[in-house]
Amino acid sequence: MDSSSDAHGRHRCAACFRQFNKMEHLVEHMRAARHSPHEPRCALCRKHCRSFEALRDHLGAGGSSLPKAVNCAAEFAARGCTLCLAVQPSAAALGAHRSTCQLSRTPPLMARQPPPPPQGGGGGGGRVLALGCKMVGAGSDGSLDVCARVCVVDERESILFETFVKPLIPVTHYRYETTGIRPEHLRDGMTVKQAQRRVQELLLNGEQPWKVRTSRGRARVLVGHGLDHDLDALGMDYPAYLKRDTATYPPLMKTSKLSNSLRFLTQTYLGYDIQTGHQHPYEDCVAAMRLYRRMRALPHPKNAGDADVSPASADQAFPAWRQREFERMTPEELLRLSTPDYYCWCLDSIDG
């Protein structure tokens, strides 16, 4: 009997190991689940999980009291890294790995700040930048978020741009306990329009705004957490294909498909705490950039057509008119046809 069925004639998904009584049900599952080599996978049994949180539950990592795979959990407890969820060959190798996997907090005052770029240019910074904003409160009850501080860093964690921003409307709550911002900080700050222009210059890197809508050119990838909120506060827009948001990246989301906080992601996957005491946007930028780099470096199989697959058109991998043909395939063949419903950040390493 081939791998498409077990002793009871049930058909097992080659990715998540779910079993189905009929092959047509497995095909429908593959059409809906959108499994791919880019999903987080158990290093022991090779099971695919929708998110890293689901994988942590599977392995019993990070204090999960009910691991879904007892055998994998036992092996992982002895040789597994609770940050990147990789399994090492031995306990000794695990100790050496942890020293490089666990990162440390970088205070803003220790950040390197390059000299100002020449007028009219985007300046240095490489191909990827991270944006972070801190908000103060406006409106009668102080619940309306308005941008009061902006920071942009590059991949080397150097500050390219950092300033206080003078809001367009009166501030009614400075949220000093978390922001550390006082009225005197904003009095001589940049206007929102000036900050917006400077951030846009850094992102476009000399490229024309209209051209970036369809072709990247010299424009930079933008990393952050809750990017739409930050960009909206600056009155900006940026093409979705150039945004890498740790709040909405499916592998970093909860199993309920809700966003995790940046503080939780940093503590869970980088191994240190942020946003304690007065918060600086530099810290958020660095955390988001480190998460992005870690996701980009994952060793996924990279097929020639991966970078061209559009999540919106990937459903065509299992068209209804080929149903009979799909039902004659093995689960492994179906998995090879399946495409993800999101753009995997590991593909950025192909694009350069």
Side-chain angles (χ1 to χ4, degrees):
M1 186 174 293
D2 62 24
S3 60
S4 65
S5 60
D6 60 12
H8 301 287
R10 304 190 73 186
H11 306 276
R12 190 175 85 154
C13 173
C16 66
F17 303 161
R18 284 186 63 184
Q19 297 186 13
F20 301 87
N21 289 326
K22 296 182 179 181
M23 190 64 186
E24 63 187 271
H25 296 162
L26 174 58
V27 174
E28 185 58 36
H29 163 74
M30 294 300 294
R31 185 178 287 122
R34 308 287 288 275
H35 292 305
S36 80
H38 298 284
E39 291 179 304
R41 279 187 290 178
C42 175
L44 298 164
C45 70
R46 309 308 294 170
K47 177 182 177 179
H48 292 230
C49 296
R50 183 61 180 172
S51 65
F52 283 102
E53 185 170 291
L55 180 57
R56 296 178 75 83
D57 289 340
H58 172 79
L59 294 170
S64 179
S65 58
L66 294 173
K68 296 180 180 179
V70 177
N71 293 337
C72 292
E75 284 291 318
F76 184 81
R79 300 184 286 115
C81 174
T82 56
L83 295 176
C84 67
L85 304 182
V87 177
Q88 302 302 315
S90 65
L94 175 62
H97 168 81
R98 276 179 177 160
S99 64
T100 58
C101 193
Q102 182 166 358
L103 304 180
S104 58
R105 184 175 184 176
T106 304
L109 294 179
M110 293 178 62
R112 296 164 294 173
Q113 187 156 2
Q119 287 292 329
R127 298 284 283 171
V128 184
L129 301 182
L131 170 70
C133 297
K134 285 301 172 187
M135 310 292 174
V136 292
S140 58
D141 59 354
S143 61
L144 178 63
D145 286 344
V146 291
C147 181
R149 198 171 192 179
V150 181
C151 185
V152 178
V153 305
D154 62 12
E155 283 196 81
R156 297 172 301 168
E157 302 175 9
S158 300
I159 296 177
L160 298 183
F161 174 61
E162 195 272 327
T163 185
F164 288 104
V165 178
K166 188 188 303 181
L168 295 173
I169 58 179
V171 177
T172 55
H173 192 339
Y174 285 89
R175 303 172 185 173
Y176 176 77
E177 297 79 7
T178 56
T179 65
I181 296 174
R182 295 183 182 276
E184 55 267 26
H185 292 142
L186 307 185
R187 196 171 296 128
D188 298 321
M190 277 188 174
T191 65
V192 175
K193 185 63 71 174
Q194 289 171 330
Q196 175 200 101
R197 189 179 300 115
R198 185 69 189 105
V199 172
Q200 193 168 41
E201 285 176 358
L202 288 168
L203 292 176
L204 295 179
N205 195 27
E207 201 64 72
Q208 293 297 321
W210 60 268
K211 191 175 180 180
V212 174
R213 297 296 167 187
T214 55
S215 176
R216 176 177 173 180
R218 296 188 298 273
R220 291 164 167 143
V221 167
L222 177 61
V223 175
H225 189 83
L227 277 175
D228 288 341
H229 183 244
D230 287 351
L231 290 172
D232 186 59
L234 288 170
M236 288 180 59
D237 191 18
Y238 204 57
Y241 77 96
L242 289 175
K243 291 191 287 192
R244 306 290 182 263
D245 196 334
T246 56
T248 57
Y249 188 50
L252 293 176
M253 296 177 75
K254 299 178 181 179
T255 52
S256 60
K257 298 185 179 179
L258 297 175
S259 299
N260 280 303
S261 68
L262 182 59
R263 182 177 183 178
F264 172 84
L265 293 175
T266 305
Q267 185 180 53
T268 304
Y269 299 107
L270 301 180
Y272 67 96
D273 291 321
I274 62 169
Q275 299 179 348
T276 57
H278 291 165
Q279 302 170 17
H280 194 290
Y282 172 78
E283 221 175 27
D284 295 352
C285 290
V286 168
M289 181 65 79
R290 289 175 174 180
L291 286 166
Y292 167 76
R293 290 203 307 259
R294 185 153 287 185
M295 295 297 106
R296 187 182 61 182
L298 291 174
H300 295 158
K302 297 177 179 64
N303 300 321
D306 271 343
D308 299 324
V309 172
S310 167
S313 62
D315 282 326
Q316 297 176 10
F318 294 99
W321 61 271
R322 293 182 63 188
Q323 180 72 19
R324 296 290 185 185
E325 179 186 351
F326 295 143
E327 291 177 12
R328 291 192 294 270
M329 292 182 178
T330 65
E332 290 75 17
E333 290 172 332
L334 291 174
L335 179 58
R336 282 194 289 271
L337 289 176
S338 186
T339 54
D341 57 355
Y342 63 91
Y343 177 86
C344 183
W345 293 350
C346 76
L347 300 176
D348 283 351
S349 61
I350 299 177
D351 297 338

